[in-house]
Amino acid sequence: MQRRCTIIGGGAAGAALVAQLARKPGAPALDWIVGAPAPGRGIAYATDDASHLLNVRAAAMSSIGGAAPGDFAEYLRHRGFDHVAANFVPRALYGDYVQHALAQAGHTPVVHAAQATALHALPENRFEITLDDGRALVADDVVLAIGALPARALPGVSPAALASGAYAIDAWHDLAPSQAPEHVLVIGTALSAIDVLLTAAQRWPRAQLTAISRHGRLPRLHAPGVFAPFDGADALLARMASRADAAYWLRCLREAAQEPDAEWRAVIDGLRAATPRLWQSLDARQRRRFLRHLKPLWDIARHRVPRETAAKIDALRDSGRLRVSAARLAEVDVGDTRALRVRLRDARAMPTFETDFAIQATGLDLDARATSHPLVRQLVDDGLVGADPLGLGLSASSDGRLLRTDGSAWPNLHATGILLSGALWETSAMREIGAQAAALAERLGSTNP
Ligand SMILES: Cc1cc2nc3c(=O)[nH]c(=O)nc-3n(C[C@H](O)[C@H](O)[C@H](O)COP(=O)(O)OP(=O)(O)OC[C@H]3O[C@@H](n4cnc5c(N)ncnc54)[C@H](O)[C@@H]3O)c2cc1C
């Protein structure tokens, strides 16, 4: 009998797998639980703000469903966007492309516009998946492609501040204050925060903006053009692999970036394919040290911002509308003259001030130990799947099979995307998600009699 597979999650990761499976002759019958109204776009590609750009040049953006590299740039050319292959184009265009690729895919899944809320193991290695509309599906294989977990308020944000409607914990959905704010605080200075600042600047043209993060550093810039790979990548990798020590790695990276003619971006990009292997060589103590000391530097160097985006941020700073500071959030409560009173820690200036609206843009939440996501909560509480001990998603093997709490791998319960961060570290971008979809499609196709 043909096997049945359920994919949970209607973002680009789910779409990539659907499109890959469409190419497989022995593919299982598919149920796709999409949750969202426009399957395929997910969080990243649902934005309609044209200032939200891809952080990869169009030509290098991954193709969906195993199409030839450059398929996205080709799609853009067909739509009349000539000469954009080397550009950073709006993310919405990639969402269009994913939906186009889905429409082209031959094998169509049964799409369920619902949320999966629970999963239970049945006899004979099958699963029952409960939906929030009261239905249940049965599957031989299940793939979690649910992206990140729901955002949680940072410690120190009072219940009254949350209830005021002036504190947005989800930068992607909650940007609707009751009236146009005159001052907005953005918590975070990485890529999500950049998106939020651009939207806020446009939506509320009179608002003053303040952005804070522990280091107050904005992401580094993409190079003006394409650069050659780093010549010393193999030697650097061998050196790093010889000692599983985060501090030593930082030294290796700094030294490599200082070599004559070395382009630091090429140094860091040269590690990409080997990152999961390097990450897996770290023990728990070293992983903690990596997260504490190397991650902030890694994030700004690895996740770079297009120059035109940076120019917009610079213009906001130069005009005096935006202030970026190094500080940590200590407390947010309701204010006297404005909606919120904010107290900062380690701030050089203005440790306390009031703001009309605060937006939490500190990155994606991955902590399955503390999440309110109903399905993940149930999986972890019932002991079906372990939570990553460092809060980096779900416990999984390096090929994306989820692990039970005793450490054994489910043969037929898989995950893809950012919830595999604890297993792979480098797993959030379309390049990795596309590769995972290809490997999963191979595995799911080959189990079909
Ligand atoms: C703002 C942003 C910009 C990015 N830019 C780039 C870029 O330029 N280039 C690049 O390569 N990568 C980029 N990425 C990284 C990566 O490409 C995206 O995160 C990718 O789209 C992830 O897709 P996903 O399907 O894993 O997750 P998501 O986009 O989060 O989609 C998951 C979907 O599953 C749904 N879901 C969750 N739980 C359930 C449930 N129980 N039942 C049903 N549905 C559920 C969610 O509602 C959501 O719609 C970006 C990421 C973000 C957040």
Side-chain angles (χ1 to χ4, degrees), residues 8-14 33-36 41-45 53-56 61 91 114-117 145-148 172 192 195 272 364 373 375 416-418 428-431 433:
I8 304 175
I33 306 175
V34 295
R41 290 183 181 269
I43 292 183
Y45 311 115
L53 303 183
L54 290 171
N55 54 27
V56 178
M61 197 62 195
R91 290 208 301 269
Q115 297 278 333
T117 51
I146 58 176
W172 313 113
S192 314
D195 267 13
R272 187 159 175 180
L364 300 171
H373 188 283
L375 175 63
T416 172
I418 200 159
S428 66
M430 284 317 294
R431 195 205 288 188
I433 285 173

Side-chain angles (χ1 to χ4, degrees), residues 222-307:
H222 274 292
V226 178
F227 46 80
F230 175 49
D231 274 345
D234 288 345
L236 171 64
L237 271 171
R239 207 176 152 207
M240 290 172 73
S242 72
R243 204 158 122 198
D245 175 336
Y248 175 67
W249 288 2
L250 182 57
R251 203 163 76 228
C252 294
L253 285 169
R254 286 204 161 122
E255 285 171 10
Q258 280 159 8
E259 281 177 24
D261 300 329
E263 159 62 58
W264 64 266
R265 299 171 183 87
V267 171
I268 193 129
D269 290 1
L271 297 179
R272 187 159 175 180
T275 302
R277 191 161 39 84
L278 287 171
W279 172 254
Q280 284 151 14
S281 73
L282 297 178
D283 61 18
R285 193 174 128 261
Q286 285 296 337
R287 286 185 186 191
R288 263 189 213 101
R289 293 188 73 189
F290 178 98
L291 295 176
R292 184 153 187 78
H293 302 295
L294 201 48
K295 181 179 179 294
L297 299 170
W298 178 271
D299 282 349
I300 58 169
R302 169 69 190 83
H303 302 291
R304 300 186 288 270
V305 69
R307 286 174 173 256

